[in-house]
Amino acid sequence: MNLMSRVTRLGCALAFCCLALVLWGVPGTRALNNGLAMTPTMGWLHWERFMCNVNCQEEPDSCISEKLFLQMADLMVSDGWKDAGYQYLCIDDCWMAPQRDSKGRLQADSNRFPNGIRHLADFVHSKGLKLGIYADAGNKTCAGYPGSYGYYDIDAKTFADWGVDLLKFDGCYCDSVKHLADGYKQMSLALNRTGRSIVYSCEWPLYAWPFVKPNYTEIRQYCNHWRNSADIYDSWQSVRSILDWTSSNQESVVPAAGPGGWNDPDMLVIGNFGLSQDQQVTQMALWAIMAAPLFMSNDLRHISPEAKGLLQNKDVIAINQDPLGKQGYRLRKNDNFEVWERPLSNLAWAVAVVNLQDIGGPRSYTIPIASLGKGLACNPACLITQLLPVKTKLGFYEWTKSLKTQINPTGTVLLRLESASKIASKSSL
Ligand code: GAL
């Protein structure tokens, strides 16, 4: 039976499919109204790789300094990162001088940032990139630098005057959950009052969770993305615990994500020391499924071709940046396998099968096609392409068939499913 006749015979199924997609397309709760982060933000953030290294005497190439960011800015353009979509070059903690200036403004450490942040922002903008900076809602930053409590308007204005395009706002040293919530809200409003477009990256729910269940409807109205879970480390255990946290809490967090506001499972540590190639594939695939902001924290001066290829993989980035803006979720967990899926625009779906067993060799897993995409992804048929670990066209699969995959320990197979009806209607145009 050819494709067109299959499509015609199953018209009813497709009508149902379209209705379902219309319903999925209904926007969730209102997002922060700054027009930013319509797809997850992409960039580079210094924390996981460079932390709070302020010792430029001993380690001039890896201390938090103007030089580090100038070098990363150059590489983001020359090595294809910007073209791949990584646009925001972001400073984390430890950029500040220990004291505010005489007018109460934050200032950069003058030894490490001799030309100040505005100069850095100008350079970054001249490269077609955007600059991110870091501050904290409490009395001090997590590393002990001046906090923004009591200075929200001054700090927002300072960042806007410097030409900053993103603020990562941390939540250390807040005295209460009320202080935390007020701080995040006030800074959001203060940024808005500056009139500059500044992506607002929050950690509000992470700090709220030990005391109250965060109100994601409210958080989404103030933040462009928000951290939920503990800091990422350069290890498989850390990546796994973030995946476990996300799937265990998916009923709360998945509906909150959408254009303008995203759950942030923290930085990509691909290209560093702690993950095997298979584990790096897992992080990239699952961060795409989770519609996560993609902030690499690595050293772009020293990165393997494999890590670079993975981070710049256009097909995987297209899933992460899919304009429908729906976060994926864990569909199934059995026998140390997990199946995750994410609805995409044009009736397509992304599916990730993770082999969580970290002993033995590759294991096979068979997926009944009808179980994917709420029974609709491949009804009546779909075209399946494996994107990771290696791009392979797998061909057309009918609803009644199964797909057998082979997955390395701690690795992932990432698939893209295109609706056969969509393909048929495109080719008949
Ligand atoms: C943590 C935050 C990290 C990093 C660090 C800086 O609280 O979660 O991502 O910003 O503070 O001190």
Side-chain angles (χ1 to χ4, degrees):
M1 189 181 1
N2 70 27
L3 184 61
M4 276 315 288
S5 63
R6 272 203 305 259
V7 169
T8 316
R9 281 177 42 168
L10 286 155
C12 281
L14 289 170
F16 175 59
C17 182
C18 291
L19 174 67
L21 261 288
V22 167
L23 293 177
W24 275 317
V26 174
T29 47
R30 202 151 48 85
L32 171 59
N33 187 20
N34 63 3
L36 300 170
M38 298 312 285
T39 60
T41 311
M42 294 176 65
W44 185 92
L45 177 61
H46 93 238
W47 185 256
E48 193 288 321
R49 179 63 190 254
F50 295 98
M51 301 189 73
C52 192
N53 184 348
V54 292
N55 189 350
C56 292
Q57 296 293 332
E58 304 252 331
E59 294 177 288
D61 292 331
S62 49
C63 66
I64 307 313
S65 69
E66 176 182 289
K67 187 175 135 193
L68 181 71
F69 291 94
L70 295 176
Q71 288 183 344
M72 292 304 160
D74 277 335
L75 288 167
M76 279 174 82
V77 177
S78 64
D79 286 4
W81 300 103
K82 180 184 155 213
D83 288 346
Y86 297 92
Q87 198 188 11
Y88 286 80
L89 175 63
C90 302
I91 308 171
D92 207 289
D93 205 347
C94 306
W95 62 271
M96 296 174 197
Q99 308 293 340
R100 291 174 176 268
D101 73 7
S102 58
K103 294 188 172 146
R105 293 173 302 196
L106 291 171
Q107 49 188 347
D109 181 286
S110 59
N111 290 322
R112 293 181 287 116
F113 293 85
N115 297 294
I117 303 296
R118 186 203 287 262
H119 173 267
L120 182 56
D122 288 346
F123 179 79
V124 165
H125 294 153
S126 76
K127 296 256 154 195
L129 300 168
K130 294 186 179 293
L131 185 71
I133 208 159
Y134 167 100
D136 189 291
N139 300 305
K140 286 190 261 180
T141 73
C142 299
Y145 289 85
S148 294
Y149 180 61
Y151 293 88
Y152 299 129
D153 269 299
I154 296 179
D155 291 353
K157 186 164 179 317
T158 304
F159 298 146
D161 289 347
W162 287 343
V164 161
D165 308 291
L166 178 150
L167 174 65
K168 172 173 172 177
F169 207 42
D170 213 333
C172 276
Y173 297 104
C174 288
D175 306 331
S176 62
V177 195
K178 183 171 175 345
H179 173 173
L180 181 78
D182 288 349
Y184 275 103
K185 289 186 208 173
Q186 284 181 38
M187 184 51 106
S188 181
L189 299 173
L191 290 172
N192 195 275
R193 279 193 290 274
T194 68
R196 187 171 172 85
S197 289
I198 300 177
V199 173
Y200 187 40
S201 172
C202 301
E203 300 199 35
W204 180 1
L206 166 63
Y207 289 94
W209 267 112
F211 307 101
V212 284
K213 184 170 188 253
N215 177 347
Y216 283 97
T217 308
E218 185 178 41
I219 290 168
R220 184 174 162 77
Q221 286 165 15
Y222 289 96
C223 301
N224 290 120
H225 18 95
W226 48 85
R227 286 268 309 281
N228 293 313
S229 44
D231 287 8
I232 197 159
Y233 279 57
D234 187 12
S235 74
W236 171 240
Q237 187 201 6
S238 171
V239 169
R240 222 197 127 158
S241 72
I242 291 171
L243 294 176
D244 286 345
W245 189 94
T246 307
S247 52
S248 313
N249 292 282
Q250 58 187 9
E251 280 78 17
S252 310
V253 301
V254 169
W262 310 98
N263 292 293
D264 178 4
D266 211 0
M267 293 157 269
L268 292 167
V269 293
I270 296 166
N272 292 323
F273 307 96
L275 301 186
S276 69
Q277 179 63 21
D278 287 303
Q279 293 160 357
Q280 297 184 57
V281 165
T282 295
Q283 191 184 28
M284 194 68 191
L286 272 294
W287 264 234
I289 294 277
M290 291 189 291
L294 298 181
F295 288 107
M296 305 178 281
S297 193
N298 50 19
D299 188 343
L300 301 178
R301 297 165 300 189
H302 308 285
I303 186 158
S304 71
E306 291 78 20
K308 186 176 173 194
L310 185 57
L311 288 162
Q312 295 192 1
N313 186 309
K314 286 194 168 50
D315 297 317
V316 183
I317 291 174
I319 290 176
N320 176 270
Q321 297 285 301
D322 186 85
L324 185 64
K326 293 276 174 198
Q327 179 172 340
Y329 47 84
R330 190 176 71 190
L331 175 67
R332 192 176 313 139
K333 180 181 169 74
N334 67 293
D335 190 22
N336 248 335
F337 286 105
E338 289 190 358
V339 183
W340 292 60
E341 63 178 19
R342 174 178 175 186
L344 303 173
S345 49
N346 292 323
L347 309 184
W349 287 78
V351 173
V353 187
V354 193
N355 174 7
L356 288 170
Q357 191 157 290
D358 48 9
I359 185 170
R363 293 193 301 152
S364 54
Y365 186 80
T366 301
I367 319 168
I369 291 291
S371 70
L372 297 174
K374 308 203 185 277
L376 301 166
C378 297
N379 187 351
C382 61
L383 180 61
I384 305 186
T385 308
Q386 178 183 296
L387 302 180
L388 291 175
V390 183
K391 187 166 182 177
T392 319
K393 289 187 175 153
L394 302 180
F396 278 99
Y397 280 76
E398 289 175 22
W399 201 63
T400 49
K401 296 282 172 2
S402 291
L403 172 68
K404 190 173 171 191
T405 55
Q406 270 271 325
I407 315 148
N408 288 349
T410 66
T412 293
V413 164
L414 179 67
L415 307 166
R416 186 180 176 106
L417 281 48
E418 302 286 348
S419 146
S421 58
K422 251 318 200 228
I423 297 168
S425 64
K426 258 194 220 158
S427 60
S428 66
L429 284 178

